[in-house]
Amino acid sequence: MRSSPSIVPTNRLDRDIYLVLEDFGARAGCSWRETDEQDTDRETIIRDLLSGQYAYPVRIVIFNAIEGHARDATSEIADELAEALARNAEITPALQAFVEANATRSFGLQLALPLLGAA
């Protein structure tokens, strides 16, 4: 028996997809954010988190439908955000709380302190 070729364009779907669960408050609750297909890669999600596109992230999942896997990526993304923070990236207090609650590694932060006598 001959098999038919897939109608799914594999070049678009054969990659990891990241989605962010965001808390919209007590009244609205949590929801998976609507995201354009091209904005679901790891680098874009991290860039969007750092730029404040997500106000109160709760969880980040990764899945790949072609490979057949899905998993929680919250801690690894929090670790990457903590590394960015260690490089003096500015983040919102909510994102800071997300990093503190979910990062698995500790990152040394050097605060910029004024020197005595320097003006």
Side-chain angles (χ1 to χ4, degrees), residues 19-24 29-32 49 54-61 72 74-75 94-95 98 101-102:
L19 294 177
V20 178
L21 180 67
E22 186 163 15
D23 186 351
F24 291 99
C30 293
S31 178
W32 296 101
L49 285 161
Y54 298 96
Y56 296 98
V58 175
R59 179 160 317 283
I60 300 167
V61 296
D72 186 345
T74 305
S75 293
L95 192 56
F98 172 81
N102 295 292

Side-chain angles (χ1 to χ4, degrees), residues 24-66:
F24 291 99
R27 219 169 156 193
C30 293
S31 178
W32 296 101
R33 284 282 300 266
E34 182 178 337
T35 307
D36 288 336
E37 178 185 358
Q38 70 270 12
D39 296 334
T40 58
D41 61 286
R42 184 183 192 96
E43 294 77 23
T44 303
I45 291 294
I46 290 171
R47 184 175 59 246
D48 287 350
L49 285 161
L50 288 171
S51 69
Q53 296 292 319
Y54 298 96
Y56 296 98
V58 175
R59 179 160 317 283
I60 300 167
V61 296
I62 176 178
F63 69 91
N64 186 311
I66 299 297

